[in-house]
Amino acid sequence: MSETKGREALIGRALIDADFRSRLLQAPEATIAAEGYTVPAELVEQLKSVDPDQAAAAVADFDAAFADRKAAS
């Protein structure tokens, strides 16, 4: 049985890999195909409408929240 890389793997990688996130937002279809992900067409369409600056800000907020949570534990 082969393992597919789906939506969760794609989003996870985009959160932690800035170069991948940049390529993904610039050319979603090509990046997804080149990296072997299998995701719904609706996700590809959503990615096409994401503002790269807003995505970077969201990731920074996520990183900060994660760091705060880790420090509290």
Side-chain angles (χ1 to χ4, degrees), residues 6-69:
R7 177 191 315 246
E8 292 81 11
L10 179 92
I11 293 169
R13 183 168 176 197
L15 283 171
I16 62 172
D17 183 338
D19 179 59
F20 176 74
R21 182 174 55 251
S22 176
R23 290 185 291 120
L24 181 63
L25 294 177
Q26 289 176 11
E29 292 165 317
T31 303
I32 289 167
E35 297 289 336
Y37 289 92
T38 303
V39 299
E42 67 188 32
L43 178 58
V44 175
E45 292 306 312
Q46 290 169 342
L47 289 168
K48 289 178 181 179
S49 68
V50 171
D51 178 287
D53 293 332
Q54 288 179 335
V59 170
D61 289 346
F62 178 81
D63 286 345
F66 186 75
D68 290 345
R69 200 164 186 195

